[in-house]
Amino acid sequence: MNWPQAAAHGHILSLHSLQDCFPPGLSSYTHLHHGVCVEFLRRGLGDFFIGCFFITELSTPFVSAGMVLIQVGLQNSTLHKVNGLMVLLTFLLCRILLFPFMYWVYGRNYNIPLYKVALHLPWHCNLGNLCILAPQLCWFFLLCRKARRLYLRQLQTHSSHTPKTS
């Protein structure tokens, strides 16, 4: 049951995702819209960039695995720590460094220096990339902050359990 359905029946639900705010079936329309845009409106251009955007999803299984590990009570396990490192690594490589890589490959393909690539692309492509990159940077910052907090918490608990010698 999504939020509008619950509200209609007098139930109180918390919103877990943006999709909970929309009527059922809208997801199908969203997928159809994206399929039309990707296939028809781009006029056969940008296969490399579309492929790169699919690569951004490589971090998703690690994010999901982290949530599952927390739900089953393994948030203090070595597996959770390794998964956290994989989240940070894949997020950095596949969601942030992907953008300079795409610009570098484009410049290399057209013999344009990296610092001039943005000037050769249509403005709406740069704007679209910026709109996609901005939340990735925010999320990565939040992930790093959480990782730092967990690491410092582990150091504090480790040092408090270590017997002091005098």
Side-chain angles (χ1 to χ4, degrees), residues 133-153:
L133 179 61
Q136 309 303 324
L137 290 171
C138 291
W139 292 330
F140 186 69
F141 172 74
L142 292 173
L143 285 170
C144 288
R145 196 165 74 178
K146 182 178 179 181
R148 181 179 179 270
R149 188 174 63 239
L150 292 174
Y151 178 72
L152 291 176
R153 184 183 307 154

Side-chain angles (χ1 to χ4, degrees), residues 37-150:
C37 287
V38 166
E39 274 308 306
F40 299 109
L41 297 181
R42 65 184 183 90
R43 300 180 313 269
L45 300 173
D47 288 340
F48 170 74
F49 295 105
I50 298 297
C52 284
F53 285 124
F54 285 133
I55 289 174
T56 63
E57 293 304 319
L58 285 176
S59 63
T60 303
F62 297 107
V63 173
S64 299
M67 294 297 159
V68 170
L69 290 170
I70 289 171
Q71 288 178 352
V72 296
L74 295 174
Q75 62 267 23
N76 295 321
S77 68
T78 303
L79 180 60
H80 188 261
K81 292 171 188 164
V82 170
N83 185 68
L85 289 174
M86 290 303 296
V87 167
L88 289 173
L89 181 66
T90 57
F91 208 94
L92 177 65
L93 292 174
C94 299
R95 291 190 179 228
I96 294 175
L97 295 180
L98 177 71
F99 289 91
F101 173 74
M102 288 190 310
Y103 279 61
W104 175 73
V105 168
Y106 182 89
R108 193 169 155 225
N109 194 41
Y110 291 102
N111 295 321
I112 304 168
L114 178 61
Y115 67 92
K116 290 185 177 182
V117 169
L119 301 173
H120 287 274
L121 289 171
W123 68 270
H124 61 275
C125 292
N126 289 315
L127 180 62
N129 282 334
L130 184 63
C131 289
I132 294 169
L133 179 61
Q136 309 303 324
L137 290 171
C138 291
W139 292 330
F140 186 69
F141 172 74
L142 292 173
L143 285 170
C144 288
R145 196 165 74 178
K146 182 178 179 181
R148 181 179 179 270
R149 188 174 63 239
L150 292 174

